[in-house]
PDB file of all heavy atoms in Angstrom:
ATOM      1  N   SER A 125       9.676   7.858   2.198  1.00 94.00           N
ATOM      2  CA  SER A 125       8.374   7.352   1.843  1.00 94.00           C
ATOM      3  C   SER A 125       7.613   6.990   3.066  1.00 94.00           C
ATOM      4  O   SER A 125       6.445   7.377   3.139  1.00 94.00           O
ATOM      5  CB  SER A 125       8.597   6.084   1.025  1.00 94.00           C
ATOM      6  OG  SER A 125       7.346   5.355   0.851  1.00 94.00           O
ATOM      7  N   ALA A 126       8.202   6.367   4.028  1.00 96.00           N
ATOM      8  CA  ALA A 126       7.482   6.002   5.228  1.00 96.00           C
ATOM      9  C   ALA A 126       7.082   7.145   6.080  1.00 96.00           C
ATOM     10  O   ALA A 126       5.847   7.273   6.531  1.00 96.00           O
ATOM     11  CB  ALA A 126       8.372   5.015   6.046  1.00 96.00           C
ATOM     12  N   GLY A 128       5.478  10.420   6.751  1.00 94.00           N
ATOM     13  CA  GLY A 128       4.639  11.289   5.937  1.00 94.00           C
ATOM     14  C   GLY A 128       3.420  11.724   6.779  1.00 94.00           C
ATOM     15  O   GLY A 128       3.446  11.768   8.017  1.00 94.00           O
ATOM     16  N   LEU A 129       2.348  11.916   6.001  1.00 96.00           N
ATOM     17  CA  LEU A 129       1.109  12.342   6.751  1.00 96.00           C
ATOM     18  C   LEU A 129       0.720  11.348   7.727  1.00 96.00           C
ATOM     19  O   LEU A 129       0.134  11.611   8.765  1.00 96.00           O
ATOM     20  CB  LEU A 129       0.039  12.511   5.702  1.00 96.00           C
ATOM     21  CG  LEU A 129       0.289  13.565   4.589  1.00 96.00           C
ATOM     22  CD1 LEU A 129      -0.848  13.567   3.562  1.00 96.00           C
ATOM     23  CD2 LEU A 129       0.354  14.943   5.308  1.00 96.00           C
ATOM     24  N   GLY A 130       1.048  10.066   7.488  1.00 95.00           N
ATOM     25  CA  GLY A 130       0.714   8.965   8.398  1.00 95.00           C
ATOM     26  C   GLY A 130       1.278   9.225   9.805  1.00 95.00           C
ATOM     27  O   GLY A 130       0.651   8.943  10.754  1.00 95.00           O
ATOM     28  N   ASN A 131       2.579   9.727   9.854  1.00 93.00           N
ATOM     29  CA  ASN A 131       3.154  10.043  11.131  1.00 93.00           C
ATOM     30  C   ASN A 131       2.673  11.367  11.794  1.00 93.00           C
ATOM     31  O   ASN A 131       2.470  11.360  12.970  1.00 93.00           O
ATOM     32  CB  ASN A 131       4.632  10.187  10.970  1.00 93.00           C
ATOM     33  CG  ASN A 131       5.255   9.076  10.273  1.00 93.00           C
ATOM     34  OD1 ASN A 131       4.884   8.720   9.057  1.00 93.00           O
ATOM     35  ND2 ASN A 131       6.158   8.274  10.882  1.00 93.00           N
ATOM     36  N   PHE A 191      -4.483   4.960  -3.413  1.00 96.00           N
ATOM     37  CA  PHE A 191      -3.927   5.547  -2.239  1.00 96.00           C
ATOM     38  C   PHE A 191      -3.382   6.937  -2.566  1.00 96.00           C
ATOM     39  O   PHE A 191      -3.541   7.925  -1.816  1.00 96.00           O
ATOM     40  CB  PHE A 191      -2.799   4.658  -1.685  1.00 96.00           C
ATOM     41  CG  PHE A 191      -2.253   5.067  -0.384  1.00 96.00           C
ATOM     42  CD1 PHE A 191      -3.067   4.989   0.780  1.00 96.00           C
ATOM     43  CD2 PHE A 191      -1.006   5.673  -0.243  1.00 96.00           C
ATOM     44  CE1 PHE A 191      -2.609   5.387   2.021  1.00 96.00           C
ATOM     45  CE2 PHE A 191      -0.535   6.014   0.988  1.00 96.00           C
ATOM     46  CZ  PHE A 191      -1.296   5.938   2.112  1.00 96.00           C
ATOM     47  N   TYR A 195      -4.206  10.487  -0.953  1.00 97.00           N
ATOM     48  CA  TYR A 195      -3.113  11.099  -0.214  1.00 97.00           C
ATOM     49  C   TYR A 195      -2.849  12.539  -0.741  1.00 97.00           C
ATOM     50  O   TYR A 195      -2.500  13.440   0.007  1.00 97.00           O
ATOM     51  CB  TYR A 195      -1.847  10.292  -0.418  1.00 97.00           C
ATOM     52  CG  TYR A 195      -0.797  10.423   0.592  1.00 97.00           C
ATOM     53  CD1 TYR A 195      -0.771   9.676   1.777  1.00 97.00           C
ATOM     54  CD2 TYR A 195       0.303  11.318   0.385  1.00 97.00           C
ATOM     55  CE1 TYR A 195       0.231   9.774   2.709  1.00 97.00           C
ATOM     56  CE2 TYR A 195       1.315  11.420   1.361  1.00 97.00           C
ATOM     57  CZ  TYR A 195       1.269  10.676   2.523  1.00 97.00           C
ATOM     58  OH  TYR A 195       2.285  10.750   3.453  1.00 97.00           O
ATOM     59  N   PHE A 316      -0.080   1.866   6.852  1.00 96.00           N
ATOM     60  CA  PHE A 316      -0.023   3.185   6.284  1.00 96.00           C
ATOM     61  C   PHE A 316       1.318   3.900   6.660  1.00 96.00           C
ATOM     62  O   PHE A 316       1.938   4.441   5.714  1.00 96.00           O
ATOM     63  CB  PHE A 316      -1.175   4.020   6.942  1.00 96.00           C
ATOM     64  CG  PHE A 316      -1.507   5.321   6.334  1.00 96.00           C
ATOM     65  CD1 PHE A 316      -2.754   5.524   5.850  1.00 96.00           C
ATOM     66  CD2 PHE A 316      -0.602   6.376   6.336  1.00 96.00           C
ATOM     67  CE1 PHE A 316      -3.133   6.835   5.335  1.00 96.00           C
ATOM     68  CE2 PHE A 316      -0.875   7.596   5.819  1.00 96.00           C
ATOM     69  CZ  PHE A 316      -2.164   7.854   5.312  1.00 96.00           C
ATOM     70  N   SER A 317       1.641   3.877   7.861  1.00 97.00           N
ATOM     71  CA  SER A 317       2.808   4.640   8.279  1.00 97.00           C
ATOM     72  C   SER A 317       4.135   4.067   7.719  1.00 97.00           C
ATOM     73  O   SER A 317       5.018   4.836   7.418  1.00 97.00           O
ATOM     74  CB  SER A 317       2.808   4.775   9.797  1.00 97.00           C
ATOM     75  OG  SER A 317       3.883   5.629  10.192  1.00 97.00           O
ATOM     76  N   SER A 319       4.558   2.454   5.027  1.00 96.00           N
ATOM     77  CA  SER A 319       4.523   2.344   3.545  1.00 96.00           C
ATOM     78  C   SER A 319       4.555   0.926   3.121  1.00 96.00           C
ATOM     79  O   SER A 319       5.134   0.616   2.035  1.00 96.00           O
ATOM     80  CB  SER A 319       5.651   3.101   2.914  1.00 96.00           C
ATOM     81  OG  SER A 319       5.592   4.477   2.976  1.00 96.00           O
ATOM     82  N   SER A 413       7.282   8.374  -3.716  1.00 95.00           N
ATOM     83  CA  SER A 413       7.362   6.954  -3.778  1.00 95.00           C
ATOM     84  C   SER A 413       6.172   6.277  -4.406  1.00 95.00           C
ATOM     85  O   SER A 413       6.256   5.248  -5.031  1.00 95.00           O
ATOM     86  CB  SER A 413       7.654   6.424  -2.391  1.00 95.00           C
ATOM     87  OG  SER A 413       6.476   6.453  -1.631  1.00 95.00           O
TER      88      SER A 413
HETATM   89  N1  LIG B 621       3.966   5.988   4.785  1.00 92.04           N
HETATM   90  C1  LIG B 621       3.456   7.118   4.244  1.00 92.04           C
HETATM   91  C2  LIG B 621       2.951   8.073   5.488  1.00 92.04           C
HETATM   92  O1  LIG B 621       3.088   7.739   6.541  1.00 92.04           O
HETATM   93  C3  LIG B 621       2.307   6.919   3.329  1.00 92.04           C
HETATM   94  C4  LIG B 621       2.560   5.913   2.284  1.00 92.04           C
HETATM   95  C5  LIG B 621       2.051   4.633   2.321  1.00 92.04           C
HETATM   96  C6  LIG B 621       3.442   6.243   1.240  1.00 92.04           C
HETATM   97  C7  LIG B 621       2.347   3.693   1.346  1.00 92.04           C
HETATM   98  C8  LIG B 621       3.816   5.275   0.233  1.00 92.04           C
HETATM   99  C9  LIG B 621       3.211   3.985   0.290  1.00 92.04           C
HETATM  100  O2  LIG B 621       2.349   9.049   5.222  1.00 92.04           O
END
Side-chain angles (χ1 to χ4, degrees):
S125 166
L129 298 175
N131 306 58
F191 189 71
Y195 204 85
F316 189 122
S317 185
S319 291
S413 72

